[in-house]
Amino acid sequence: MFDYIKGEFAGKSATNKGVYAVVDACGVGYILEILPRDYDLLPKEGEEVKLFSVLLHREDKMSLCGFLKREDRDIFNVLTFVSGVGSKMAITLLNAFKVSD
């Protein structure tokens, strides 16, 4: 549904449930789950950021995943089409390996 979200980087957080970035795009703060390896590559708060996105729609919630590189997002989509691989597993795999691997 969304190819990317571009706006002002508003913050980041790391919890035991995941790593997240907030992007303020036209006054709306989007929370996107990101790869742990991208956490330190995010810009300073107030600077512009562009995250390639995937909208996840489940029975009980909707969420966004964001990626600094389009290739990471594309591989994420391929991985989640594999039977038994969900979004959490796809993020874990992408974090452990480079796209070229």
Side-chain angles (χ1 to χ4, degrees), residues 49-63:
V49 67
K50 180 179 181 179
L51 293 175
F52 296 94
S53 60
V54 175
L55 174 64
L56 302 173
H57 186 254
R58 298 194 186 122
E59 199 173 291
D60 58 338
K61 73 174 189 171
M62 291 174 61
S63 60

Side-chain angles (χ1 to χ4, degrees), residues 77-90:
N77 284 330
V78 170
L79 287 170
T80 56
F81 277 113
V82 175
S83 179
V85 177
S87 61
K88 293 293 184 188
M89 178 60 72

Side-chain angles (χ1 to χ4, degrees), residues 3-40:
D3 185 39
Y4 63 85
I5 296 176
K6 182 177 177 181
E8 182 179 308
F9 179 62
K12 59 185 178 181
S13 63
T15 69
N16 59 350
K17 293 186 177 187
V19 180
Y20 302 91
V22 178
V23 178
D24 180 335
C26 298
V28 178
Y30 294 93
I31 300 172
L32 298 101
E33 185 169 3
I34 61 170
L35 297 174
R37 71 174 182 215
D38 288 346
Y39 188 82
D40 291 328

